[in-house]
Structure formats: C-alpha cells, structure tokens
Amino acid sequence: MTSRVAACRSGERGARLGERGAGTVLVLGVVAVALLLGLGLAVLGAAQAARGAAQAAADLGALAGATALRDGFDACVTAQEVVRRSGSRLVSCEPGGGGTVRVVAARAAGLQTPGPWAGVLGEARAAARAGPRQVP
C-alpha cells in the first residue's frame, strides 16, 4: 500500500512540474490584451480629438467667411486664414447665394508633430455653413 501511495505522490509531482510557468504565460497574455485595448482606446481618442478640432476650424472659418462676405471682402481668403490659424487645412470653400459660406476643413489625426507617426490615422474632415438663414 505504501508503494502505491508513493507512486501517486510522485505522479502528482511530475504533473505539477509539467505545469510550471503556465501562470506566467497567462499573465503575459492578459497584459498583452490590456495593452492592445489601451492602444485602441488611445487611437479612438486621437481620432475623436482630431474630428473635434476640424469641426471647430470649419465652424470658425465659415463664420469668418460669412462675416467677410457681408462686409464686402473675399470670404474664402478669410476662411482659409482662420482655418490655417486653427491648425487645420481648408479643403473647400463655397460662397453661396444670400451671403452664405460653406467650409470644409481637415486635420491630421494622431500625432501633430513631424515624424513617422504623424498622420498615421488619416485625416478628420468636417463641414460647416454660416450666413443668413435661407427661407424656402
């Protein structure tokens, strides 16, 4: 009987030795998933921030363009300057009838500094229209 108990104990010890390090692999897997999740959230945050900045630049550009048009100046030159000062790029500017101006602005998503990662997420675009309300 004692030899059977000794065999079981040595078999258990052999099984445990085969599982050594399994917890380390599990922890590394969980850490890798957490890092990927954090990276994904950071990318989404950067894209949302770029979209908000592009929308703010388009809004300001459209308002400045409509005001310039009302005062007799070139709406698109004014809108381009305002969008540029906002850190974005003017994609299009269309003065419409009745003193309205439609502006589309774009801003690079991701890092704003020059380098290999600048604009890696693409561009965020936003449009805005300003001017008197058009009555149908």
Side-chain angles (χ1 to χ4, degrees):
M1 184 80 160
T2 52
S3 64
R4 187 170 185 185
V5 170
C8 287
R9 286 184 182 159
S10 66
E12 289 174 4
R13 188 176 300 140
R16 286 184 190 155
L17 288 176
E19 294 178 4
R20 286 190 81 146
T24 303
V25 173
L26 179 64
V27 168
L28 287 175
V30 169
V31 167
V33 168
L35 286 175
L36 285 175
L37 183 62
L39 180 64
L41 288 174
V43 166
L44 286 175
Q48 184 62 31
R51 172 69 168 89
Q55 186 64 58
D59 290 341
L60 289 172
L63 286 170
T67 302
L69 189 63
R70 181 194 66 195
D71 294 340
F73 298 105
D74 188 0
C76 291
V77 170
T78 304
Q80 181 175 12
E81 181 64 22
V82 169
V83 169
R84 185 189 62 78
R85 286 186 182 195
S86 297
S88 297
R89 178 178 63 86
L90 183 68
V91 175
S92 69
C93 175
E94 302 166 3
T100 63
V101 176
R102 184 175 186 278
V103 170
V104 178
R107 185 175 182 124
L111 297 176
Q112 299 300 318
T113 57
W117 297 103
V120 72
L121 299 177
E123 266 189 343
R125 289 186 178 209
R129 179 198 160 279
R133 185 175 75 154
Q134 295 176 343
V135 180

